[in-house]
Amino acid sequence: MQELKLALGADHAGYKLKELIVSYLKEKNYLIKDFGTNSESSVDYPDFAHPVAQGVQDGNYNFGILICGSANGINMTANKYRKIRSALCWKSEIAELARLHNDANILALPARYISEEEAIKTVDVFLNTAFEGGRHQKRVEKINQLC
């Protein structure tokens, strides 16, 4: 089985949760690239969303995980990339559907609105749920159409 390569990034509001998730994923032997931030000092979330989204789009990482206060800004930034389907998830059930139906490749977590336990559960579900394909495939293909 191929090891999953994961890219992670967070702003200052997501820093503590990112650190917890990075430690958890390393214990599970995932290959991790942490794009920062590395403290709670104020930073701009796009600076961390861009390298994660670019890395996933380029195929250097299987999945990305992005974290900021609400996850809105970091999610919007990631979704500017053509091959990215970033899903803002605050419950594991939403992450499951994002993978099953939307083939999401980046998980965006709202650090201020999710418990540590739910965040870990959501990450696990996201990484261990396969895309269902079938009737959802044509819908996912339409996401990448240019407007």
Side-chain angles (χ1 to χ4, degrees), residues 5-23:
K5 293 186 228 171
L6 309 176
L8 282 87
D11 72 356
H12 55 281
Y15 167 71
K16 282 185 178 179
L17 185 58
K18 177 186 64 76
E19 292 298 297
L20 174 80
I21 291 170
V22 165
S23 292

Side-chain angles (χ1 to χ4, degrees), residues 2 14 19 24 26 30 65 69 72 82 94 97 100 131 134:
Q2 176 191 356
E19 292 298 297
Y24 174 78
K26 283 183 178 179
Y30 286 102
I65 299 172
N72 278 306
R82 187 144 194 240
I94 296 170
L97 288 174
L100 281 171
F131 177 50

Side-chain angles (χ1 to χ4, degrees), residues 59-74:
N60 298 324
Y61 306 99
N62 302 96
F63 295 106
I65 299 172
L66 293 170
I67 309 163
C68 73
S70 70
N72 278 306
I74 212 158

Side-chain angles (χ1 to χ4, degrees), residues 116-136:
E116 290 179 352
E117 296 78 18
E118 187 64 33
I120 294 294
K121 182 179 176 186
T122 301
V123 167
D124 274 336
V125 168
F126 186 85
L127 296 176
N128 292 293
T129 301
F131 177 50
E132 210 170 56
R135 65 190 169 101
H136 304 290

Side-chain angles (χ1 to χ4, degrees), residues 73-89:
I74 212 158
N75 188 56
M76 289 176 190
T77 304
N79 277 317
K80 296 288 184 185
Y81 289 77
R82 187 144 194 240
K83 295 180 182 178
I84 296 301
R85 291 170 307 282
S86 182
L88 195 166
C89 302

